[in-house]
């Protein structure tokens, strides 16, 4: 079983749509959780950290369910510029090592 | 925000040669840097953890004699791919742990093509 699992997609949605991505992780001792965005042939960029209480940044909302070992990302009012691959990332321990999911590809069409 | 650079951004080399990739933290000191590799349509895979002044820690399945890592200063780590082969062609990305030790900052990546 992969340490971090994501639906690879692609999710093909019209502008303005709301889209949700899910992610599960295998290690219950995982400490920190993130969503990164990666554009084609570029490095990943931090989108947001994910907290148990849930957090929101503009059109983006992230949720963490430790009991189910499940992380989600909700994007409202999708823009064309949101087209990218979204990576679910987990930090297992205090060593700063990050484990990346395989990513979910989002295509927002006009 | 913290900036990490990589050099070169793209390199093409012949099979059997060695290639050195540099990773620099430009405006902060990084005691820990990481090296990742990403094959097409796959996610980032951690290769090794680079610690300033000590030997790198390699992930399982990564050959330490093939991927030489040197972290001689608090702002520079280098990855040398020795005797490169076409299967080493990949996108190599480094990251550095920020001052607060909570976030990793990624370099722009180096695309290696071995012919």
């Amino acid at each position: 079983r992969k340490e971090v699992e994501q639906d690879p997609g692609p999710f093909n949605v019209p502008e303005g749509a709301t889209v949700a991505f899910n992610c599960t992780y295998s290690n219950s001792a995982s400490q920190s959780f993130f969503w990164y965005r990666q554009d084609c042939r570029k490095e990943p960029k931090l989108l947001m950290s994910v907290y148990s209480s849930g957090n929101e940044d503009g059109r983006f909302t992230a949720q963490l369910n430790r009991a189910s070992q499940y992380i989600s990302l909700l994007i409202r009012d999708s823009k064309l510029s949101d087209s990218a691959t979204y990576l679910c990332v987990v930090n297992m321990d205090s060593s700063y090592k990050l484990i990346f999911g395989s990513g979910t590809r989002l295509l927002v069409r006009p | 925000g913290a900036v990490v650079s990589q050099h070169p951004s793209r390199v093409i080399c012949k099979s059997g040669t060695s290639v050195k990739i540099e990773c620099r933290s430009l405006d902060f000191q990084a005691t820990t840097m990481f090296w990742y590799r990403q094959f097409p349509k796959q996610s980032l895979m951690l290769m090794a953890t680079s610690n300033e002044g000590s030997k790198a820690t390699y992930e399982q399945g990564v050959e330490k004699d093939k991927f030489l890592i040197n972290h001689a200063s608090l702002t520079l780590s280098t990855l040398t791919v020795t005797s490169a082969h076409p299967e080493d062609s990949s996108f190599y990305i480094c990251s550095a742990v920020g001052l607060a030790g909570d976030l990793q900052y990624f370099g722009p990546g180096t695309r290696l093509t071995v012919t």
Side-chain angles (χ1 to χ4, degrees), chain A residues 38 41 43 96-98 101, chain B residues 38 43 59 101 104 107 111:
Chain A
Q38 187 175 27
R41 304 174 81 85
E43 77 276 23
Y96 309 123
K97 284 171 57 173
L98 298 180
Chain B
Q38 185 176 33
S43 193
E59 295 300 301
Q104 283 189 33
R111 194 159 299 280

Side-chain angles (χ1 to χ4, degrees), chain A:
Chain A
R1 182 185 172 189
K2 289 182 182 178
E3 292 177 286
V4 180
E5 294 208 56
Q6 295 181 249
D7 180 344
F11 285 63
N12 192 322
V13 303
E15 268 188 293
T18 295
V19 61
F21 304 140
N22 303 318
C23 166
T24 57
Y25 59 95
S26 61
N27 189 335
S28 59
S30 298
Q31 299 187 359
S32 307
F33 310 88
F34 310 92
W35 282 102
Y36 277 75
R37 170 198 169 124
Q38 187 175 27
D39 293 288
C40 189
R41 304 174 81 85
K42 300 282 189 183
E43 77 276 23
K45 293 189 187 296
L46 179 65
L47 182 64
M48 57 198 306
S49 301
V50 188
Y51 305 110
S52 297
S53 55
N55 47 304
E56 186 175 310
D57 183 2
R59 298 181 293 109
F60 300 85
T61 301
Q63 294 275 357
L64 166 65
N65 184 322
R66 284 189 181 271
S68 303
Q69 295 177 207
Y70 172 95
I71 306 161
S72 67
L73 176 68
L74 183 76
I75 304 176
R76 290 181 298 278
D77 189 23
S78 299
K79 311 291 185 192
L80 294 176
S81 57
D82 292 334
S83 296
T85 297
Y86 290 83
L87 303 169
C88 177
V89 184
V90 175
N91 172 229
M92 299 288 186
D93 52 37
S94 59
S95 69
Y96 309 123
K97 284 171 57 173
L98 298 180
I99 307 299
F100 283 77
S102 55
T104 299
R105 192 162 168 231
L106 171 65
L107 301 171
V108 181
R109 62 181 188 271

Side-chain angles (χ1 to χ4, degrees), chain B residues 37 47 58-68:
Chain B
R37 179 168 54 181
M47 298 176 68
Y58 290 80
E59 295 300 301
Q60 192 173 10
V62 178
E63 298 175 59
K64 61 179 173 64
D65 295 328
K66 180 170 178 64
F67 298 99
L68 302 179

